[in-house]
């Protein structure tokens, strides 16, 4: 397993920028309706391990279904680079789209399938 590292990430146009400290585990490929359409590869970090550097006022929120996950996308380029939510115990967490992190070799990773569609 990779060591925890601080990655820079963000949307395509650069309006939304963040830093996330993560060992990229667990890495989830979820089959729910939105993850499928976006091709999201997610890992989860605490709020302390996530710093939104820019785009706080630009980013748009999308909610659907049970509205548990607050999807954050850039209104300019349309990329969802992260989402916010809470763990079952209520602790806030950030779902980071690993495809939006710089310096990650996506092809070398083995995401774990997650059956979000049936939740
Ligand atoms: Zn953008």
């Amino acid at each position: 397993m990779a060591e925890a590292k601080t990655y820079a990430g963000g949307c395509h146009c650069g309006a939304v920028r963040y830093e996330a400290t993560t060992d990229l585990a667990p890495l989830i490929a979820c089959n729910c309706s939105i993850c499928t359409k976006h091709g999201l590869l997610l890992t989860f970090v605490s709020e302390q391990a996530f710093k939104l550097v820019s785009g706080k006022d630009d980013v748009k929120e999308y909610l659907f279904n049970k509205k548990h996950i607050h999807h954050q996308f850039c209104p300019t380029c349309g990329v969802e680079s992260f989402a916010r939510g809470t763990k079952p115990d209520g602790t806030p967490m950030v779902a980071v789209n690993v495809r939006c992190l710089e310096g990650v070799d996506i092809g070398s990773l083995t995401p774990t399938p997650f059956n979000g569609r049936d939740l």
Side-chain angles (χ1 to χ4, degrees):
M1 198 48 68
E3 271 179 51
K5 196 178 139 180
T6 300
Y7 294 92
C11 71
H12 189 266
C13 74
V16 179
R17 299 285 307 160
Y18 58 74
E19 289 173 6
T21 303
T22 172
D23 60 1
L24 302 178
L27 180 68
I28 298 295
C30 174
N31 64 359
C32 83
S33 56
I34 194 162
C35 287
T36 298
K37 293 206 175 194
H38 279 302
L40 295 181
L41 282 181
L42 299 175
T43 194
F44 302 93
V45 301
S46 67
E47 282 205 318
Q48 292 74 33
F50 182 85
K51 190 169 95 181
L52 190 58
V53 176
S54 69
K56 188 171 181 290
D57 298 327
D58 298 317
V59 78
K60 292 279 187 240
E61 186 162 284
Y62 176 62
L63 296 162
F64 72 104
N65 196 8
K66 294 173 188 162
K67 302 187 169 58
H68 287 167
I69 309 291
H70 295 239
H71 299 273
Q72 309 290 314
F73 70 94
C74 172
T76 301
C77 67
V79 170
E80 175 172 340
S81 56
F82 70 104
R84 292 185 188 277
T86 53
K87 291 185 191 169
D89 70 1
T91 310
M93 57 95 190
V94 180
V96 173
N97 182 1
V98 173
R99 291 190 188 278
C100 294
L101 298 179
E102 290 160 15
V104 175
D105 178 10
I106 295 289
S108 72
L109 302 171
T110 36
T112 304
F114 180 78
N115 190 16
R117 186 174 51 203
D118 294 333
L119 286 185

